[in-house]
Amino acid sequence: LDEYIKLINKIKNEFQADKNKISIIGFSHGCYGIVNLIPKYPKYFSAVVPIGCNTGYASSFIYQPVWTFVGTGEGHKTMPGFVSTINKKGGSAKHTSVKHKYANHNILGDKYSILRDKEYNVIEWMISKTKKS
């Protein structure tokens, strides 16, 4: 996990990125990467988008806006509870269950991607968020 942050810092410095606008998105196993990264670096990111995984680490996700997604048939019972817990602890989180004919587990695929779906505008949402000081 430390290596991942070192890589982000290198890219951030090399391209003079705004340190207050570093978002992270993780899908499936990448989602579990976020679940393990955020508790160690809870105030590093300006926005977090975990997609398609289950977690119980809500306390670490209260420092930045969180938008969770799942495709049909996965995480529908656990992700809403995760979001509810974040909000109860003072965070800002929302959940979307994607209902699309190609949105099973892979909601970032070739036939369908939430990143291209104009209904959600996920990239614009991430860009609009600024890390709290």
Side-chain angles (χ1 to χ4, degrees), residues 19-21 43-47 61-65 90-92 129-133:
K19 67 180 181 180
N20 294 314
K21 290 190 151 298
K43 297 182 180 181
Y44 188 88
F45 297 97
S46 58
F61 287 79
I62 63 171
Y63 301 103
Q64 65 280 310
S92 173
K129 304 305 176 191
T130 303
K131 184 168 64 171
K132 299 173 188 171
S133 300

Side-chain angles (χ1 to χ4, degrees), residues 8-132:
I8 294 171
N9 285 334
K10 181 178 187 224
I11 293 166
K12 181 173 60 175
N13 293 332
E14 187 173 324
F15 292 98
Q16 300 176 350
D18 184 342
K19 67 180 181 180
N20 294 314
K21 290 190 151 298
I22 306 295
S23 300
I24 189 167
I25 187 169
F27 167 67
S28 194
H29 285 93
C31 181
Y32 288 109
I34 289 175
V35 166
N36 292 306
L37 185 68
I38 296 300
K40 190 163 184 181
Y41 299 95
K43 297 182 180 181
Y44 188 88
F45 297 97
S46 58
V48 179
V49 181
I51 302 171
C53 72
N54 305 320
T55 181
Y57 299 111
S59 300
S60 300
F61 287 79
I62 63 171
Y63 301 103
Q64 65 280 310
V66 176
W67 191 358
T68 66
F69 288 88
V70 292
T72 54
E74 63 177 330
H76 291 283
K77 294 180 181 169
T78 57
M79 289 305 264
F82 171 65
V83 166
S84 176
T85 302
I86 291 170
N87 292 331
K88 285 178 187 172
K89 293 181 179 279
S92 173
K94 61 183 179 176
H95 173 72
T96 300
S97 294
V98 179
K99 293 174 178 45
H100 185 278
K101 67 180 180 178
Y102 293 115
N104 45 35
H105 176 67
N106 190 3
I107 58 177
L108 293 176
D110 292 336
K111 293 183 178 184
Y112 174 79
S113 172
I114 61 161
L115 300 180
R116 292 188 305 265
D117 192 324
K118 295 300 180 196
E119 179 180 348
Y120 304 117
N121 295 312
V122 176
I123 299 297
E124 290 84 357
W125 178 85
M126 292 169 64
I127 291 169
S128 75
K129 304 305 176 191
T130 303
K131 184 168 64 171
K132 299 173 188 171

